[in-house]
Amino acid sequence: MATARVLTAANTSCLISKMTSFPTKLSPYSTTSLCFTRRRAVSLSLSSSSRRPFNCTAIYNPEVQIKEEGQPETLDYRLFFVDRSGQKVSPWHDIPLQVGDGAFNFVVEIPKQSSAKMEVATDEPHTPIKQDTKKGKLRYYPYNINWNYGLLPQTWEDPSLANNEVEGAFGDNDPVDVVEIGDSRRKIGEILKVKPLAALAMIDEGELDWKIVAISLDDPRASLVNDIDDVEKHFPGTLTAIRDWFRDYKIPDGKPANKFGLGNKAANKDYALKVITETNESWAKLVKRSIPAGDLSLA
């Protein structure tokens, strides 16, 4: 039986209407002054760059409900995100990237100390979370992942764009991944406010697959870490452990180890923000259909 739980997306977030306008008769929030907006640029800077993230703002903080369909660890299992009216929304397209003050929304796909390979289904309407499959069978990591893992909404690694700083690798056609290093084990579908700390440029079978290392703002040690050097100080060995885990996890299946660009080392916070800005811009082009979507769902 389907279950539901309520999560708050962000204190300063909004859900984005994909319509040019939102008819009053269709809005369940007319008495709460909810402001649906078109996707547009906001003035908050991510870095010293003049570029701005493609995002939205609203005067009301909506709640997102999580509804499960099917049983976990089955091919039919889906975890949908819905607004308070029961309308399905996309965790990839409709959860805003920014929450202000240099923090970002992070959608948990895989909780730490678990092995089921859960992911947003980018080719299905409303992009629910499901368990990945290969040759019709559910996929699992060969061992548990040691951190919370998921995605940054409103980002996209463009497969037509070569990154000259990372061996000319092309994007992997997915949202940007986040490795959250906090102490707590989170839940699938949970939305956390995180601050980026570092970036790893993983190259998976020739495709660029960024890993943004971040920490949830509600973690007890969040105030201690603000950049890559702080991670080494307060979470010693973590960056190396993350790199080695993602380098080696395919080896038990008989595949070669993944590679890493940027000298096989993690880049600092400023570089992570640069990655977020660039992939947010790519996502903006995707949803505006400036770039062919292929099999990707924009619903």
Side-chain angles (χ1 to χ4, degrees):
M1 180 178 296
T3 60
R5 62 182 188 273
V6 178
L7 298 173
T8 301
N11 287 340
T12 58
S13 69
C14 67
L15 292 180
I16 311 163
S17 171
K18 295 185 180 64
M19 303 161 59
T20 301
S21 61
F22 196 87
T24 303
K25 66 179 181 179
L26 295 180
S27 173
Y29 302 108
S30 57
T31 60
T32 59
S33 300
L34 173 64
C35 175
F36 279 86
T37 69
R38 294 183 235 176
R39 293 186 174 101
R40 59 182 177 83
V42 296
S43 60
L44 180 63
S45 174
L46 289 180
S47 66
S48 58
S49 168
S50 61
R51 288 176 294 184
R52 300 293 186 264
F54 198 64
N55 212 325
C56 72
T57 56
I59 60 175
Y60 179 72
N61 175 27
E63 291 179 336
V64 178
Q65 293 183 343
I66 304 302
K67 288 193 174 181
E68 298 172 289
E69 296 184 5
Q71 295 298 316
E73 298 189 76
T74 67
L75 295 174
D76 296 330
Y77 178 76
R78 298 291 186 276
L79 189 147
F80 286 95
F81 291 66
V82 299
D83 64 21
R84 295 197 307 174
S85 70
Q87 180 180 356
K88 290 178 179 176
V89 297
S90 167
W92 180 19
H93 302 306
D94 294 327
I95 302 299
L97 173 61
Q98 287 195 90
V99 295
D101 295 328
F104 300 85
N105 276 322
F106 158 57
V107 180
V108 179
E109 295 170 302
I110 306 174
K112 66 189 299 183
Q113 304 306 328
S114 65
S115 63
K117 195 175 186 305
M118 310 300 294
E119 63 180 19
V120 162
T122 58
D123 59 349
E124 296 184 13
H126 309 296
T127 64
I129 295 175
K130 69 172 185 178
Q131 189 166 352
D132 190 22
T133 60
K134 185 175 182 180
K135 297 181 180 179
K137 295 183 179 180
L138 297 171
R139 290 189 65 189
Y140 294 86
Y141 291 123
Y143 31 72
N144 286 348
I145 190 168
N146 301 317
W147 311 273
N148 297 300
Y149 188 58
L151 67 99
L152 285 175
Q154 298 184 345
T155 62
W156 179 57
E157 299 193 50
D158 185 350
S160 70
L161 187 63
N163 190 310
N164 294 328
E165 297 178 1
V166 189
E167 302 180 19
F170 292 84
D172 71 349
N173 203 33
D174 282 326
V176 170
D177 297 325
V178 172
V179 183
E180 194 277 318
I181 63 174
D183 293 335
S184 298
R185 184 179 189 269
R186 305 297 184 157
K187 297 178 181 180
I188 299 174
E190 192 169 355
I191 302 171
L192 306 177
K193 300 176 190 178
V194 300
K195 57 180 174 181
L197 303 168
L200 284 159
M202 190 174 92
I203 302 172
D204 182 356
E205 298 182 9
E207 295 181 334
L208 180 55
D209 186 3
W210 287 107
K211 309 299 179 190
I212 301 297
V213 179
I215 190 166
S216 178
L217 296 186
D218 65 1
D219 187 85
R221 289 186 282 177
S223 63
L224 301 176
V225 286
N226 294 292
D227 208 332
I228 189 169
D229 293 336
D230 298 328
V231 178
E232 295 289 5
K233 179 179 178 180
H234 297 284
F235 294 81
T238 295
L239 293 172
T240 298
I242 292 170
R243 183 199 62 196
D244 292 354
W245 195 98
F246 282 100
R247 181 193 64 197
D248 298 339
Y249 80 90
K250 290 186 176 182
I251 293 177
D253 293 330
K255 293 186 175 182
N258 289 319
K259 300 192 302 179
F260 286 85
L262 303 179
N264 205 38
K265 297 179 180 179
N268 64 16
K269 177 180 180 177
D270 285 344
Y271 202 99
L273 292 173
K274 173 176 174 286
V275 170
I276 295 170
T277 301
E278 291 174 350
T279 55
N280 176 250
E281 291 172 350
S282 293
W283 171 84
K285 294 175 183 177
L286 176 69
V287 296
K288 289 190 295 184
R289 293 172 172 79
S290 299
I291 299 174
D295 293 332
L296 297 175
S297 172
L298 303 182

